Amino acid sequence: MKNEKRLVMALIVLIVMFLALLSARGGFENATPPQTTEDESVLEDEDLIVVGFSQLGSESVWRATHTESIQNALSKENGFFLQYSNARQKQENQIKAIRGFISQRVDYIVFAPFMEEGWETVLMEAKDAGIPVILVDRKIAGSEDLYTTFIGSDMEAEGRKAGEWLEADQEHIDRGEDDPLNIVMLTGPFGSTSQLGRSRGFLEVAQRHADWRILAQESGDFTVVKGKETMAKLLRQYDDIDVVVSQNDEMTFGAMEAISEAGLTTGKYGDMKLISFDGVKDALELVQYGKISCEVECNPQQGELVAEVIRKMEAGEKVEKEYFVDELVFTQANVGAYLKDRTY
Ligand code: GZL
């Protein structure tokens, strides 16, 4: 009984102390509700340009750099509220993400389509919702009315550059007078703009040469693992490959492992020449060491251009239907001047 009394007394003292403290601070009615960060951010968010960004995946260093470029440019400090979604190379995930952006009524949709086919329905929904769509990196098949503009690379030009380098270099390739020039192509996923454009551009040059023989065109999915697996398979099928055209550096790194495990070498005095695309730092180093003979750059730094185009649209200015980023071709002759500044 005594203990219960003590407990009640202690509680009463605590309540009295709390009320005394409160009155010293002006009581509930005078307490100004703290300016919650949510309130501040709500005010700021209303002024921000809301962008839904559907990225196709994170399969390569190139892709990671592309994503970072857009995230850095479309930052809150730059006046944007960015909602990012990684589709992990599945078209259905991108369609889901775009529908989510539409239901959230974003101001703009930016997306890198994994494949060119299959976007009409969801892009019509975006159009009906009055949300402009900006394509980055890759294009879509179908009506150009489904998007406002494209920002990225001219993939066919990239493919042509690879072919034109080989045209100039082919006489340095050791083969018999009447021997064909045997070429294998490791491609990106069939139906992606990068695969379609690079293949089309390279084959446009190849058809000018009756002695160039395209032994195989097989997808390496733009990844190291699949690139190695596909190259190992081609080495088992063909024992006289002169040139490997690999449509991105990840597949090139995998292919080089397979070539080395087969006891073969690449480069100027090697068993075969390697042409690669993207131009990430590790690849540029291999160009400098003479292991990759020709590196066709694919520039992932597209974020600033995306931000610039959105600001134009916000200001009611006309924008072009497509914007291409600047790109180079690297060989042992010029790579040194660019390697030191490569950040990815
Ligand atoms: C090219 C881009 C390709 C890169 C690959 O614009 O679509 O996808 O070349 C990436 O590295 O996976």
Side-chain angles (χ1 to χ4, degrees):
M1 190 54 179
K2 251 189 199 162
N3 283 346
E4 275 162 3
K5 270 193 175 164
R6 279 201 192 118
L7 187 61
V8 170
M9 283 307 291
L11 272 176
I12 291 168
V13 168
L14 274 174
I15 290 168
V16 168
M17 283 172 65
F18 176 66
L19 290 174
L21 186 66
L22 206 61
S23 63
R25 294 191 49 188
F28 286 109
E29 63 284 352
N30 304 328
T32 46
Q35 183 64 30
T36 60
T37 49
E38 288 71 34
D39 293 352
E40 280 158 12
S41 70
V42 164
L43 282 177
E44 284 167 22
D45 288 359
E46 274 157 16
D47 303 330
L48 297 176
I49 302 168
V50 182
V51 177
F53 173 30
S54 168
Q55 179 57 288
L56 63 88
S58 45
E59 72 286 355
S60 63
V61 169
W62 188 97
R63 182 67 53 199
T65 308
H66 183 247
T67 298
E68 190 182 2
S69 165
I70 291 173
Q71 289 174 326
N72 290 345
L74 304 189
S75 67
K76 205 163 186 178
E77 298 70 43
N78 292 337
F80 296 91
F81 186 90
L82 184 67
Q83 298 186 39
Y84 166 68
S85 158
N86 176 348
R88 292 174 177 70
Q89 298 216 77
K90 291 196 178 343
Q91 181 172 41
E92 61 267 25
N93 291 345
Q94 286 198 282
I95 291 173
K96 245 183 259 164
I98 292 169
R99 287 205 163 112
F101 297 148
I102 293 169
S103 62
Q104 290 158 45
R105 303 207 55 69
V106 298
D107 297 316
Y108 297 88
I109 290 171
V110 170
F111 97 107
F114 178 54
M115 311 302 286
E116 293 207 348
E117 299 291 342
W119 304 100
E120 287 76 6
T121 304
V122 72
L123 293 185
M124 269 316 292
E125 292 167 17
K127 191 177 174 76
D128 293 344
I131 301 175
V133 171
I134 296 171
L135 299 183
V136 288
D137 172 31
R138 298 188 185 173
K139 291 189 165 181
I140 60 165
S143 168
E144 289 192 348
D145 293 343
L146 291 171
Y147 64 93
T148 303
T149 187
F150 163 78
I151 296 170
S153 305
D154 182 342
M155 305 289 188
E156 274 196 43
E158 290 179 2
R160 273 196 298 278
K161 289 175 188 176
E164 287 158 2
W165 175 84
L166 186 56
E167 273 183 328
D169 185 77
Q170 59 178 327
E171 62 268 16
H172 302 140
I173 295 175
D174 184 17
R175 58 183 168 126
E177 185 64 27
D178 300 324
D179 287 352
L181 187 68
N182 290 324
I183 301 165
V184 295
M185 293 172 69
L186 294 178
T187 75
F190 287 113
S192 63
T193 307
S194 333
Q195 176 272 319
L196 292 167
R198 288 171 185 161
S199 299
R200 206 175 287 141
F202 181 80
L203 294 174
E204 179 190 298
V205 176
Q207 68 180 8
R208 299 201 284 253
H209 300 271
D211 61 337
W212 288 16
R213 191 163 61 170
I214 310 291
L215 299 174
Q217 301 179 57
E218 303 231 359
S219 171
D221 274 359
F222 281 145
T223 64
V224 174
V225 171
K226 193 79 169 94
K228 177 176 182 179
E229 190 185 294
T230 306
M231 188 69 222
K233 184 183 128 195
L234 293 171
L235 287 165
R236 289 192 296 271
Q237 283 175 311
Y238 305 100
D239 57 8
D240 55 354
I241 298 171
D242 298 310
V243 180
V244 178
V245 181
S246 170
Q247 291 186 351
N248 94 320
D249 291 333
E250 259 70 12
M251 294 190 297
T252 299
F253 302 148
M256 289 179 74
E257 284 179 34
I259 291 165
S260 168
E261 286 172 12
L264 299 169
T265 57
T266 65
K268 194 168 187 174
Y269 306 104
D271 299 293
M272 57 194 79
K273 298 243 172 145
L274 252 178
I275 299 173
S276 188
F277 291 76
D278 280 351
V280 300
K281 190 177 182 96
D282 289 350
L284 297 189
E285 284 170 353
L286 290 167
V287 172
Q288 191 166 51
Y289 304 144
K291 299 295 181 194
I292 294 175
S293 299
C294 171
E295 182 74 34
V296 180
E297 183 179 30
C298 180
N299 183 353
Q301 305 291 3
Q302 300 172 7
E304 290 301 330
L305 199 43
V306 173
E308 183 188 319
V309 166
I310 290 178
R311 290 197 187 95
K312 278 179 180 286
M313 293 167 76
E314 283 289 292
E317 292 173 27
K318 186 182 176 322
V319 295
E320 303 300 326
K321 197 63 186 175
E322 53 186 16
Y323 294 85
F324 292 129
V325 288
D326 298 331
E327 299 177 333
L328 298 167
V329 175
F330 300 108
T331 64
Q332 214 168 25
N334 71 342
V335 72
Y338 299 91
L339 189 52
K340 59 188 184 314
D341 298 333
R342 209 39 147 208
T343 56
Y344 58 92

